[in-house]
Amino acid sequence: MATPTAEREQWGSRIGFVLAAAGSAIGLGNIWRFPFKTGENGGAAFVILYLACIAFICLPYLFAELSLGRNSQKNPVGAIKAIKEKGPWSLVGGLCVLTGVFILSYYGVIAGWAVGYIFKDVFAPAVDAGQYFTNFIADPSAVIPLLALFMLITIGVVVGGVEQGIERWAKVLMPILLVLMLVVIFRSVTLPGAGAGLDFYLNPDFSKIDGAVIVEALGQAFFSLSLGMGAMITYGSYLPKRENLLVSGGYVALFDTAIALMAGLMIFPAVFAMGATPDEGPALIFVVLPQVFEAMPLGGFIGAVFFILLSIAALTSTVSLLEVVVSYFVDETSFNRKKAAWLVGGFTFAFGVPSALANGAVSWLSDMSWLVSNNIVGQNPSFLDLMDFVWGNMSLGMGALLLSIFVGWVWGSEQAIDELQQGSGDTFRGTLAKSWSVFLKYICPLFILIILANIVGINLIEQVINLFG
Ligand code: PHE
């Protein structure tokens, strides 16, 4: 077991950690991705599957990342090295760090769109929403400065350090986000015709569930909780031993889930009230919502508010993505926090430029079917789609699979349980601890394998169903 160094920064309070970790989890994944995935996958039935995945897979796996982080008091690479000094396992830590850089590169692009949409109503109050979106994301003079701006703000927060930067910001931003969302929900559910949206969102039609929907729900739950690239290892490393990881982790999952559910409540009643369709895909919030806002009283204001809160949510996620990489440089090299944040942030911006240009600005980046001809990534994938596929899906899944095996088998679930017992009183013992061990060693890797197999086009669930049906 590594001895924690006296100088390592720690969160100032439990609420500080919970808000910062919830801030990492809550982001574009909840407010942009969750509603469009729900809309594409049949509504309420998908929501129920998603909730089951959070409760039975992601939450227990979250404890593995938190326990590894707090035990080692290190970034993902250092955490693995502290347990297994030599051999290929430290490459898994390296994969986490790389994944952080590359997810951040294209996540920053979409976050930039959200910032741009704050001002949409000022510049273009009454244009065709679909056309506006298409033109806006294809305009380099808009999307590149917005990406740069978003990266600068992210770097600024990370340079501030754990307590002064991330924690202080999270404490201010997260409650604002909650209040803003409640305002939009109130407007949305009181629109005439909102009932059909509530029905779609809350009244499950189980005939819509098939293997693909199950796998989508599992993948979404995973991405949404920031799992699989060491963000929760890193955030856990700033926690003191007296902290109850089970309770804190539970709060994080609870907040993340609540915000996703609230995002759905904000969007679906409005979509149906406007006679729009829920299966617009990734464009859902950018195309449908401004249209919805336009047609309601105070719409310009509500639209601006919505995109402010989306930007806030994205910022607390980009901060965690950058923090994983910066903590690696601070722990493992001679770089200080400031230098590491500027350097990594600068590179990430450069890597983000092709993703920013991949939505109409540069044609060979916008349609990369010349490079990938199969259908795994979808029809005519852009460079951004490919980045999301490789880093947001494959690499995240691979990281989580390997990390659960590492914690369960290499470090040993007994050690992880020992770590989880510190600060948690008498709650995590006996049958509960034993079942968690079985989960970590067998069930969790198996489920992640199902996600990964699906990503490369093999639907294991469907194959098993076929086998018995
Ligand atoms: N969970 C974040 C979101 O929902 C995205 C993210 C993934 C952040 C992985 C960090 C690590 O937007």
Side-chain angles (χ1 to χ4, degrees):
M1 191 193 291
T3 38
T5 48
E7 324 83 73
R8 189 164 181 83
E9 287 183 90
Q10 291 196 337
W11 304 105
S13 58
R14 166 186 287 180
I15 189 74
F17 163 76
V18 170
L19 287 177
S24 163
I26 296 161
L28 295 168
N30 305 59
I31 298 175
W32 161 74
R33 201 171 188 267
F34 173 75
F36 97 68
K37 290 285 176 193
T38 302
E40 279 181 342
N41 289 290
F46 175 87
V47 176
I48 288 172
L49 278 179
Y50 169 79
L51 292 176
C53 292
I54 293 279
F56 299 118
I57 296 150
C58 296
L59 178 61
Y61 169 77
L62 170 63
F63 299 141
E65 284 204 19
L66 288 179
S67 63
L68 179 60
R70 188 177 65 177
N71 182 264
S72 61
Q73 306 271 301
K74 289 255 161 56
N75 67 89
V77 177
I80 287 172
K81 274 207 204 138
I83 283 151
K84 196 113 183 102
E85 175 86 53
K86 295 217 158 61
W89 276 106
S90 60
L91 291 177
V92 178
L95 180 71
C96 291
V97 171
L98 264 187
T99 306
V101 171
F102 285 111
I103 291 184
L104 182 55
S105 74
Y106 69 85
Y107 197 98
V109 172
I110 299 170
W113 296 353
V115 173
Y117 261 65
I118 297 171
F119 309 101
K120 179 198 167 280
D121 217 60
V122 178
F123 297 120
V127 292
D128 177 77
Q131 198 56 49
Y132 180 83
F133 180 66
T134 309
N135 293 344
F136 173 72
I137 62 172
D139 180 3
S141 70
V143 290
I144 290 188
L146 285 168
L147 168 65
L149 176 70
F150 211 87
M151 286 307 305
L152 282 175
I153 300 173
T154 305
I155 292 167
V157 176
V158 170
V159 166
V162 170
E163 211 190 322
Q164 279 308 304
I166 300 168
E167 183 171 343
R168 198 182 60 189
W169 278 88
K171 263 191 195 155
V172 179
L173 297 178
M174 298 315 291
I176 296 177
L177 172 65
L178 253 167
V179 174
L180 288 181
M181 286 187 81
L182 287 172
V183 172
V184 181
I185 289 174
F186 180 75
R187 180 63 274 194
S188 187
V189 297
T190 52
L191 285 170
L198 288 174
D199 190 55
F200 173 82
Y201 185 51
L202 299 176
N203 192 7
D205 172 1
F206 289 106
S207 69
K208 287 182 175 157
I209 295 179
D210 59 17
V213 175
I214 296 172
V215 173
E216 283 278 8
L218 199 56
Q220 172 60 22
F222 226 59
F223 182 91
S224 188
L225 271 180
S226 303
L227 297 175
M229 48 78 67
M232 293 301 163
I233 296 177
T234 307
Y235 275 28
S237 76
Y238 303 122
L239 278 172
K241 291 286 182 199
R242 70 185 129 81
E243 190 62 62
N244 187 333
L245 294 180
L246 301 164
V247 171
S248 295
Y251 275 127
V252 171
L254 195 73
F255 287 159
D256 184 63
T257 309
I259 295 285
L261 292 177
M262 283 168 69
L265 267 185
M266 197 162 63
I267 285 160
F268 290 112
V271 166
F272 278 77
M274 300 311 300
T277 54
D279 57 354
E280 293 278 328
L284 187 68
I285 63 163
F286 289 105
V287 174
V288 175
L289 275 182
Q291 227 167 319
V292 172
F293 294 141
E294 252 162 51
M296 56 198 216
L298 285 181
F301 172 73
I302 292 169
V305 167
F306 175 81
F307 287 104
I308 288 171
L309 68 88
L310 186 62
S311 306
I312 292 170
L315 178 64
T316 49
S317 298
T318 54
V319 162
S320 75
L321 287 161
L322 185 58
E323 175 62 23
V324 169
V325 190
V326 166
S327 76
Y328 162 73
F329 278 102
V330 170
D331 288 347
E332 311 294 319
T333 73
S334 60
F335 287 20
N336 64 26
R337 177 166 276 277
K338 194 170 169 186
K339 187 170 162 194
W342 278 102
L343 205 78
V344 176
F347 271 107
T348 308
F349 167 73
F351 292 139
V353 169
S355 289
L357 297 176
N359 309 284
V362 174
S363 59
W364 63 270
L365 286 171
S366 305
D367 179 354
M368 303 220 14
S369 48
W370 54 270
L371 184 69
V372 278
S373 53
N374 56 47
N375 274 336
I376 302 171
V377 200
Q379 296 287 322
N380 306 335
S382 69
F383 182 77
L384 197 152
D385 294 327
L386 284 180
M387 289 293 281
D388 187 40
F389 172 71
V390 172
W391 301 103
N393 284 343
M394 292 269 272
S395 181
L396 225 48
M398 190 71 82
L401 173 65
L402 294 170
L403 283 171
S404 63
I405 294 171
F406 182 79
V407 173
W409 297 91
V410 181
W411 186 32
S413 56
E414 294 310 311
Q415 265 63 38
I417 288 169
D418 199 52
E419 183 65 39
L420 289 170
Q421 281 170 345
Q422 297 187 47
S424 69
D426 279 331
T427 43
F428 200 61
R429 288 168 206 278
T431 325
L432 190 64
K434 275 218 181 65
S435 342
W436 185 73
S437 172
V438 171
F439 163 84
L440 189 67
K441 292 171 105 155
Y442 303 98
I443 301 172
C444 184
L446 190 73
F447 265 88
I448 299 169
L449 201 64
I450 292 172
I451 304 180
L452 280 183
N454 179 68
I455 289 169
V456 293
I458 306 164
N459 193 327
L460 284 180
I461 294 179
E462 225 153 58
Q463 302 230 331
V464 172
I465 290 172
N466 289 345
L467 213 65
F468 291 102

